[in-house]
Amino acid sequence: MEGETSWESHTVSFQFNQPTEDESFTEINARNNEETLVSLEAIIPDDILEKVFSFMPIACVVRLASVCWRWYRVVHSISSWTSMLPQKPWYFMFTSSDSIDGHAYDPSLRKWYSITLPCHVKSNWISSASGGLVSFMENEKSCEICIFNPLVKGCRILQGPPAAHNPDYSAIAMSVNRKSNSYTLAVAKSKQIPGDYLQWDFSIDIYESENCSWVTSIREVLMGWRGGDESVICNGVFYCLIYATGIVGASERRHGLIAHDFSARTHCSSLLSMVIPVPCSLTCGRLMNLKDKLVMVGGIGKQDRPDIIKGIGIWELCKKEWREVARMPHKFFQGFGELDDVFASCGMEDLIYIQSYGAPALLVYDMSQKQWRWSVKCPVPKRFPLQLFTGFCFEPRIEAVA
């Protein structure tokens, strides 16, 4: 693989160390108190320190909090980070297990950090992230949602939508408003109507943290389609991939995209009447919000065998038309080794992460530079042939609170 010789392990425990109150760099006495040397740090106002810290990678900021009590206070000042420029998203990778402990990749410093998530969630739960927060939901029951910041301790447990527990498929999407420190959750659920494999009960429930309640509910019976676990919120619109339930020929596409605008007070038309077709026959699709643009990473199926993957493409939705942004070069596609027809992929800002479920190799695509590259090798080894890996990306922010 390209860059393999430069791969190295940089596992670091990522946590805040609170200094004792007498630790300070404010002044140094010397020459039997005849002369007092005052450090530059002592005369810099807090607001200037905040500005300086805001230009540093978040991993460096966390370490600065351990230097002295004043720096700890400045780092933990919420006003320090509300206007901070967006950080490059980190990718949290973990292996399939009962509890999720794993490693997060920092693309700015090209290092992996050992992180233990604050909530007891399982690897088969579905997730969504926005503005420094991550939400996890149990796929099969959808009755409990965990919301937390991966960098700091603390976890909020939220009861799921009041109806339609135990769905066959669930999807969750999250959107954080940084100005108001509020967030929106959207949960889509699909349940097969008994005795009819073509018809599925489909629902969308929306939660607003400002109201602390589920405020909107949409329900519809989909004929020939069902929901899955892939959704995202982009520019106030909830997008969800749906899947054909009937027999699909080689020339037909097995995926579609439905959209619900949050600004619409009432929902009169059918969701299926506004389905956006996918750009080509896909083995799988992964949705993400990159700078308020809807982007999809998909496995491209062969023309005669649409269930067999032949490559991976990236598309951006412009109004209701897909524009191809990039296609993975064959040398990177071969590098996955055990890449199946489905894979993990997520992204924020300008970065897209793509990972095979069968290996810890992580590929990064930079949308702004149009560049593919392997990340530094993850320190988690593959211990047995059927071991699975997955992950999610999040923006590292200290001030985000659930």
Side-chain angles (χ1 to χ4, degrees):
M1 284 185 243
E2 183 173 301
E4 185 174 10
T5 56
S6 65
W7 280 7
E8 55 182 342
S9 176
H10 293 284
T11 307
V12 178
S13 293
F14 196 83
Q15 59 183 355
F16 286 97
N17 296 317
Q18 182 171 328
T20 59
E21 207 158 338
D22 61 349
E23 288 180 327
S24 178
F25 290 160
T26 55
E27 61 180 28
I28 302 172
N29 292 326
R31 299 183 183 178
N32 298 321
N33 293 325
E34 293 179 2
E35 180 179 357
T36 299
L37 302 178
V38 180
S39 69
L40 180 62
E41 180 271 342
I43 61 176
I44 297 178
D46 284 3
D47 59 339
I48 301 298
L49 269 181
E50 293 175 1
K51 191 68 174 178
V52 172
F53 289 176
S54 70
F55 285 97
M56 296 182 177
I58 201 73
C60 297
V61 173
V62 172
R63 291 189 176 94
L64 291 175
S66 302
V67 170
C68 64
W69 180 256
R70 183 192 177 202
W71 287 18
Y72 179 88
R73 175 172 49 80
V74 170
V75 167
H76 283 270
S77 171
I78 294 179
S79 63
S80 303
W81 312 114
T82 51
S83 59
M84 186 178 185
L85 294 176
Q87 296 278 309
K88 288 186 177 181
W90 289 14
Y91 188 84
F92 183 83
M93 184 186 297
F94 56 95
T95 187
S96 181
S97 62
D98 289 337
S99 62
I100 298 182
D101 296 332
H103 295 79
Y105 178 66
D106 177 359
S108 297
L109 301 179
R110 290 180 59 79
K111 292 183 179 181
W112 288 90
Y113 304 98
S114 176
I115 294 183
T116 299
L117 298 187
C119 288
H120 182 70
V121 296
K122 297 183 179 180
S123 58
N124 62 344
W125 288 26
I126 54 178
S127 65
S128 180
S130 175
L133 294 179
V134 179
S135 57
F136 263 90
M137 181 177 71
E138 190 173 0
N139 196 0
E140 296 178 354
K141 296 182 179 179
S142 302
C143 59
E144 184 177 281
I145 300 174
C146 298
I147 303 172
F148 55 88
N149 182 334
L151 298 189
V152 298
K153 294 181 179 180
C155 176
R156 181 182 178 187
I157 305 298
L158 177 70
Q159 292 301 312
H165 290 320
N166 301 313
D168 295 309
Y169 298 93
S170 301
I172 185 170
M174 186 178 199
S175 178
V176 171
N177 186 326
R178 289 178 183 161
K179 293 183 179 179
S180 63
N181 292 320
S182 62
Y183 55 86
T184 300
L185 290 173
V187 174
K189 294 177 287 188
S190 298
K191 191 171 184 64
Q192 184 180 357
I193 294 179
D196 190 343
Y197 70 93
L198 288 178
Q199 295 192 70
W200 291 72
D201 277 321
F202 182 78
S203 63
I204 302 173
D205 292 281
I206 301 169
Y207 177 88
E208 297 287 355
S209 66
E210 288 184 323
N211 303 318
C212 296
S213 62
W214 296 92
V215 295
T216 307
S217 182
I218 300 169
R219 278 166 174 75
E220 186 174 320
V221 175
L222 303 184
M223 173 63 75
W225 297 88
R226 66 161 177 82
D229 61 359
E230 196 64 33
S231 64
V232 72
I233 298 173
C234 186
N235 277 328
V237 179
F238 173 70
Y239 295 94
C240 182
L241 274 181
I242 57 176
Y243 305 78
T245 58
I247 299 175
V248 179
S251 61
E252 298 176 286
R253 298 177 183 180
R254 302 187 298 171
H255 300 77
L257 184 71
I258 59 174
H260 170 65
D261 191 338
F262 289 161
S263 64
R265 297 296 180 182
T266 58
H267 184 75
C268 302
S269 57
S270 168
L271 291 170
L272 286 181
S273 66
M274 299 180 290
V275 169
I276 301 172
V278 295
C280 62
S281 180
L282 301 177
T283 62
C284 71
R286 303 289 180 247
L287 303 176
M288 55 201 73
N289 180 347
L290 272 61
K291 294 183 174 179
D292 292 329
K293 296 179 180 179
L294 180 66
V295 173
M296 180 173 65
V297 178
I300 303 171
K302 293 184 177 181
Q303 187 171 1
D304 56 337
R305 291 287 306 277
D307 56 330
I308 303 297
I309 189 171
K310 69 174 184 179
I312 294 177
I314 301 174
W315 297 267
E316 178 185 320
L317 186 65
C318 302
K319 295 183 178 180
K320 292 188 177 182
E321 299 292 330
W322 293 99
R323 178 181 67 87
E324 184 170 315
V325 175
R327 191 165 294 200
M328 184 184 295
H330 189 64
K331 63 177 180 179
F332 290 104
F333 182 70
Q334 284 184 314
F336 280 104
E338 298 179 45
L339 186 69
D340 204 345
D341 57 339
V342 294
F343 50 85
S345 182
C346 55
M348 290 180 180
E349 292 299 316
D350 287 322
L351 298 185
I352 295 176
Y353 294 101
I354 304 176
Q355 179 202 348
S356 167
Y357 289 121
L362 181 63
L363 186 63
V364 186
Y365 180 70
D366 191 316
M367 291 276 285
S368 61
Q369 298 181 9
K370 308 297 182 184
Q371 182 182 34
W372 298 86
R373 67 184 303 180
W374 293 104
S375 75
V376 173
K377 186 177 181 181
C378 181
V380 178
K382 185 166 184 175
R383 293 186 172 88
F384 52 90
L386 297 181
Q387 184 176 1
L388 299 179
F389 300 85
T390 187
F392 60 87
C393 75
F394 65 96
E395 183 182 346
R397 300 191 70 90
I398 299 174
E399 84 286 356
V401 178

